[in-house]
Amino acid sequence: MRTVLHPARAVALGFLAAIVVGTLLLMLPAARTGPDGAPVLVAFFTAVSAVCVNGLAVVDTGTYWSGFGQGMIMFMFQCGGFGMMTAATLLGLLVNGSPRLRTKLMTHMETRTLGLGDVAAVARLVLVVTFAAELIIAAVLTLRLRYGYDLPWGEAAWSGSFHAVAAFTNAGFSIHPDSMMRYAGDVLVLLPMMLAIVVGGVGFPVLHDLRNRWHDPRHWSLHTKLTLAGTALLLVGGTVALLLAEWHNTRTLGGLPLPDKLLGASFMSVAARTAGFNAVDIGALTQESLALHYFLMFIGGGSASTAGGVKVATVAILVLLVLAEVRGHADTEAFGRRIGASAQRQAITVVVLGSAVVVAGTMVLLAVTDFPTDHIIFEVTSAFGGAGLSTGITAQLPPSGQLLLTLLMYLGRVGTITLAASLVLGGRRMPYRYAEEHPIVG
């Protein structure tokens, strides 16, 4: 009898296959500027980071890799971002719409805004949104680099295209050794990139909902409302908090005029949620800013998006659950709707498993390195959350530490719930229920 591969397992194996192929390509001599091909660990780490659209790197992308190598890296994070959006959407459609599935996969990639419908049409829509956004941002960046920085057309077009794709896919790779620090204060570069990061990070279900009902917010899905409200709150709140924390820090925003401070804090707030770019020195941030980054990187972006993290809607559901419990309400509600018990259990599961992965990763990395604890926590959270930001210790980690980061990047990208569902191929409804009892809590 033919065995049908579970959709969730297919997603996990698909990413693994892409990583293996990417590693082999980056090991070719043509992919590196030096005389020989890249070492296995360097190629593997870069491939994982690119396919998982993370952005962490152990070598400088712009100088270590040749044009061919950079092209392969861009192709990998383009496929990783587009593939994740498509896979998450189609996986949700299969899970929620097919009566033949024996197991309802517990997944945080919410796609209930879509019907099963024409799968090919859904994939085409994702494709159009992805490339349309990237082409527009690439054109804007190319023109700015050409006329604002006098770069030759070829160099401006390549840099504009590379960073546009990296921004929309939330990959965070840059061909500049200082990431976006050379453009600090340039609103015509940073603002388009922020828009690309946000659009790519809100999630395809939200974009699909807005496309069909942009004129009627009352009928937006609850997922769309939670994601947009949560995203706006995190962006504004993150900007204000980072601005206050770095206001007097002369190594970051302290010596800048007010408009540049606002732009820099806004860019940090946007990029911290899985984008991976930095316009200031991350290693020079205050302890308060580092702690805020832990929070933002762990949450990430929208479900079924190019972003990582446990997702905005997941945390929003938990916050609403806590508020309902504090107020003594039997139901968890938002925007005139009641949130189902299964969604609440899934949100708790995602956050608990994600937290466990971050804690375990931190403990292991502390055991094999001598770096400060705050830098270790930052690195682990960045890897798991797909942020790609670093305090500068990634390349200095021992091979065991770098391999640990690759595992965290993979787990964070595929998703703790999707990975767990891929391991549980069989599921059945129990024909009985135990008697209920209430243990003491607190």
Side-chain angles (χ1 to χ4, degrees):
M1 182 177 177
R2 182 181 178 185
T3 301
V4 179
L5 188 63
H6 196 288
R9 178 167 288 182
V11 171
L13 293 179
F15 271 83
L16 280 177
I19 289 169
V20 171
V21 173
T23 301
L24 295 176
L25 289 173
L26 291 179
M27 289 176 64
L28 296 175
R32 186 183 172 189
T33 54
D36 302 317
V40 176
L41 182 57
V42 173
F44 177 68
F45 190 99
T46 305
V48 173
S49 185
V51 171
C52 296
V53 288
N54 188 287
L56 285 176
V58 293
V59 294
D60 177 44
T61 303
T63 57
Y64 187 89
W65 303 107
S66 65
F68 171 77
Q70 293 175 25
M72 288 298 98
I73 292 172
M74 184 172 74
F75 180 75
M76 281 187 278
F77 61 66
Q78 176 70 90
C79 292
F82 172 70
M84 190 60 177
M85 293 172 71
T86 305
T89 300
L90 300 185
L91 176 59
L93 292 173
L94 289 172
V95 170
N96 297 323
S98 175
R100 295 184 179 182
L101 289 177
R102 296 173 54 201
T103 304
K104 181 179 180 180
L105 305 182
M106 296 175 60
T107 172
H108 63 291
M109 295 173 289
E110 179 60 58
T111 55
R112 296 182 188 273
T113 53
L114 304 175
L116 187 56
D118 185 358
V119 172
V122 172
R124 283 196 297 269
L125 185 57
V126 178
L127 184 68
V128 169
V129 170
T130 301
F131 287 111
E134 291 175 353
L135 285 174
I136 293 174
I137 300 301
V140 173
L141 292 179
T142 298
L143 292 174
R144 177 56 179 167
L145 295 177
R146 174 67 182 91
Y147 293 108
Y149 295 86
D150 295 324
L151 294 182
W153 275 110
E155 185 178 346
W158 172 245
S159 180
S161 300
F162 189 95
H163 290 105
V165 176
F168 183 82
T169 58
N170 280 227
F173 276 91
S174 175
I175 57 177
H176 305 315
D178 59 353
S179 188
M180 295 290 108
M181 291 178 62
R182 65 184 60 191
Y183 305 120
D186 191 338
V187 67
L188 296 180
V189 171
L190 298 187
L191 182 58
M193 293 194 65
M194 284 192 287
L195 291 175
I197 292 167
V198 171
V199 172
V202 295
F204 178 71
V206 173
L207 297 178
H208 181 275
D209 201 17
L210 295 178
R211 174 179 177 270
N212 292 334
R213 309 172 201 171
W214 64 271
H215 58 285
D216 190 9
R218 294 177 303 173
H219 291 88
W220 289 353
S221 70
L222 179 58
H223 171 73
T224 296
K225 293 177 180 178
L226 287 177
T227 300
L228 292 180
T231 298
L233 181 62
L234 288 172
L235 292 180
V236 175
T239 298
V240 173
L242 288 169
L243 190 63
L244 293 175
E246 299 298 323
W247 187 271
H248 297 294
N249 186 356
T250 56
R251 299 173 62 191
T252 56
L253 304 180
L256 301 178
L258 180 59
D260 290 351
K261 284 184 177 180
L262 292 174
L263 179 62
S266 299
F267 189 80
M268 272 196 291
S269 179
V270 171
R273 297 174 51 247
T274 84
F277 296 106
N278 62 284
V280 299
D281 183 5
I282 297 298
L285 293 177
T286 63
Q287 292 296 319
E288 295 83 359
S289 292
L290 288 177
L292 182 61
H293 273 72
Y294 304 156
F295 177 73
L296 294 175
M297 292 189 298
F298 184 75
I299 294 177
S303 301
S305 72
T306 60
V310 296
K311 303 300 187 292
V312 174
T314 303
V315 175
I317 291 173
L318 281 185
V319 171
L320 293 170
L321 174 60
V322 171
L323 291 177
E325 192 67 24
V326 170
R327 294 172 180 173
H329 294 178
D331 296 324
T332 302
E333 302 168 337
F335 299 103
R337 293 291 185 270
R338 177 167 51 88
I339 299 175
S342 61
Q344 297 176 44
R345 291 195 300 270
Q346 290 171 17
I348 293 172
T349 304
V350 169
V351 172
V352 169
L353 289 180
S355 300
V357 170
V358 170
V359 170
T362 300
M363 293 177 65
V364 173
L365 207 56
L366 283 172
V368 300
T369 67
D370 296 322
F371 291 106
T373 302
D374 55 347
H375 287 193
I376 294 296
I377 297 175
F378 191 99
E379 213 76 9
V380 169
T381 308
S382 178
F384 175 77
L389 293 172
S390 175
T391 56
I393 68 173
T394 304
Q396 304 174 48
L397 293 175
S400 58
Q402 294 178 1
L403 288 174
L404 174 64
L405 291 186
T406 62
L407 177 61
L408 292 171
M409 286 189 282
Y410 180 77
L411 290 177
R413 193 57 190 153
V414 174
T416 52
I417 293 300
T418 302
L419 186 62
S422 71
L423 302 176
V424 185
L425 299 182
R428 59 191 177 91
R429 183 181 296 275
M430 300 301 292
Y432 58 86
R433 298 179 70 186
Y434 289 108
E436 183 175 300
E437 190 170 339
H438 298 275
I440 298 175
V441 177

